[in-house]
């Protein structure tokens, strides 16, 4: 339990049983807390609740608020502000009730309609991508959780994060949007560029592009996490402008043939960003950098 005190057994309500809410609810139940109810509107959410939170009753939001000591709001970012306002206006919030949301983008300011009525607001964001399956529970182990909240109540967020298997890291209220942008940039765009590369390989007749790419992509990610940008290899950092020009040329043709201009655009943008960062660090001299930029613009 590290240096964090184990909180008393809490009655927790989950809104809603999306990929994040169902998994975190299961993790909290495994830690000994009681999941008193779950709000699951769609058929997929109800199936997920049945799988990961078997035996937990489905409830409406007002009933969850009425019966829970802690309310976990695991909804999409854009849905969070109107949900909090609705709860503050329509549900029977009690002073001292704890509202926790899982959005990376927001701190606790978004919970103000509820905290103005005496609730305690906390933000707990696991830095992990979710499938909504039981395998996510194992992935939570040693995952970093970005936590934000009033200083007197931060230990609650920290302790719950540890109980779910994570490592809490305090993120300042004003830093949440930039923090979330960093995570989305690394995670979401990795999926995009991998998908683009798989599309190209599949067009060449490679039957299992994921298997073909896996050793390379895993090694690149491991090296980047271990060594940062010093692990960078490839034609840009070597200053091989003719190779970059060839890539630009063939991807231009591919974009036209396969209606895949997004691949050409992202290659150019990322190669340019790579060159800029390599030049700033001295890995490319002025002449090499200029030739790379010219090749990308050709």
């Amino acid at each position: 339990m590290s240096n964090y005190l184990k909180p008393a057994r809490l009655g927790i309500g989950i809104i809603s049983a999306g990929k994040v809410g169902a998994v975190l609810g299961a993790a909290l139940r495994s830690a000994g807390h009681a999941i008193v109810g779950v709000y699951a509107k769609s058929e997929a959410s109800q199936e997920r609740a049945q799988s990961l939170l078997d035996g937990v009753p489905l409830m409406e939001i007002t009933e969850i608020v009425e019966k829970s000591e802690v309310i976990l709001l695991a909804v999409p970012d854009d849905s969070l502000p109107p949900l909090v306002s609705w709860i503050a206006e329509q549900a029977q919030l009690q002073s001292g009730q704890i509202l926790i949301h899982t959005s990376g983008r927001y701190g606790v300011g978004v919970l103000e309609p509820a905290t103005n009525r005496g609730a305690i607001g906390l933000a707990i964001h696991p830095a992990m991508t979710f499938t909504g399956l039981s395998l996510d529970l194992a992935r939570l182990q040693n995952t970093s959780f970005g936590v934000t909240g009033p200083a007197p109540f931060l230990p609650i967020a920290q302790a719950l994060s540890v109980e779910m298997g994570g490592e809490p890291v305090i993120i300042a209220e004003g830093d949440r949007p930039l923090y979330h942008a960093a995570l989305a940039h690394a995670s979401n765009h990795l999926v995009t560029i991998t998908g683009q590369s798989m599309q190209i390989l599949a067009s060449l007749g490679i039957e299992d592009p994921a298997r073909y790419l896996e050793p390379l992509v895993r090694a690149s990610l491991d090296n980047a996490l271990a060594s940062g940008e010093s692990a960078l290899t490839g034609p840009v950092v070597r200053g091989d402008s003719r190779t970059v020009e060839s890539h630009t040329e063939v991807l231009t043709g591919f974009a036209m043939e396969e209606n895949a201009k997004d691949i050409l655009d992202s290659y150019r943008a990322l190669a340019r960003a790579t060159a800029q960062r390599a030049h700033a660090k001295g890995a490319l001299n002025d002449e090499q950098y200029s030739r790379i930029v010219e090749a990308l613009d050709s």
Side-chain angles (χ1 to χ4, degrees):
M1 186 55 66
S2 184
N3 296 321
Y4 305 109
L5 295 176
K6 181 180 176 65
R9 185 173 184 267
L10 297 168
I12 301 175
I14 310 292
I15 307 172
S16 63
K19 295 177 181 179
V20 177
V23 172
L24 296 188
L28 289 165
R29 184 162 71 168
S30 294
H33 299 290
I35 308 302
V36 299
V38 57
Y39 175 74
K41 186 175 182 180
S42 71
E43 184 177 339
S45 293
Q46 291 173 8
E47 290 176 356
R48 197 177 293 115
Q50 185 176 12
S51 173
L52 289 171
L53 299 170
D54 185 38
V56 174
L58 298 180
M59 294 182 181
E60 293 298 320
I61 293 174
T62 51
E63 189 177 5
I64 287 176
V65 173
E66 180 184 344
K67 295 185 176 181
S68 304
E69 298 168 90
V70 176
I71 304 160
L72 184 69
L73 307 176
V75 298
D77 292 349
D78 288 353
S79 300
L80 184 59
L83 173 61
V84 175
S85 294
W86 188 91
I87 288 174
E89 294 170 4
Q90 303 295 329
Q92 297 298 314
L93 272 174
Q94 302 296 316
S95 181
Q97 263 185 311
I98 301 171
L99 262 68
I100 300 173
H101 75 73
T102 61
S103 168
R105 169 183 163 191
Y106 291 108
V108 294
V110 70
L111 300 175
E112 191 171 296
T115 57
N116 284 343
R117 296 189 55 184
I120 297 167
L122 296 169
I124 299 180
H125 176 254
M128 201 262 282
T129 185
F130 287 78
T131 65
L133 303 174
S134 58
L135 61 87
D136 289 344
L137 293 169
R139 289 178 175 175
L140 282 178
Q141 302 305 309
N142 300 316
T143 291
S144 294
F145 282 61
V147 299
T148 303
F153 304 111
L154 265 179
I156 299 173
Q158 292 170 316
L160 290 172
S161 299
V162 170
E163 286 194 319
M164 287 186 280
E167 178 63 32
V169 178
I170 297 173
I171 307 295
E173 176 81 12
D175 291 341
R176 296 286 292 205
L178 188 59
Y179 152 82
H180 191 236
L183 298 186
H185 189 42
S187 176
N188 302 161
H189 299 159
L190 176 63
V191 174
T192 298
I193 61 174
T194 301
Q196 291 174 335
S197 295
M198 288 170 61
Q199 180 182 348
I200 296 172
L201 294 178
S203 76
L204 301 177
I206 293 177
E207 292 184 0
D208 191 350
R211 181 180 178 185
Y212 197 93
L213 281 175
E214 182 178 7
L216 173 65
V217 173
R218 289 192 186 278
S220 297
L221 180 58
D222 289 344
N223 292 343
L225 292 174
S227 304
E229 289 174 285
S230 63
L232 184 65
T233 64
V236 171
V237 75
R238 289 195 299 264
D240 290 340
S241 58
R242 291 184 178 179
T243 299
V244 173
E245 185 175 0
S246 172
H247 289 176
T248 305
E249 181 181 350
V250 296
L251 288 174
T252 299
F254 184 82
M256 295 176 64
E257 294 170 7
E258 303 290 335
N259 191 26
K261 188 174 181 293
D262 63 292
I263 298 179
L264 173 63
D265 290 344
S266 59
Y267 177 87
R268 276 180 159 152
L270 289 170
R272 190 182 301 274
T274 300
Q276 289 171 344
R277 295 178 73 85
H279 182 235
K281 294 178 182 296
L284 288 178
N285 61 36
D286 292 347
E287 182 182 356
Q288 290 172 317
Y289 174 69
S290 295
R291 289 204 304 263
I292 293 292
V293 171
E294 289 174 7
L296 290 169
D297 291 338
S298 64

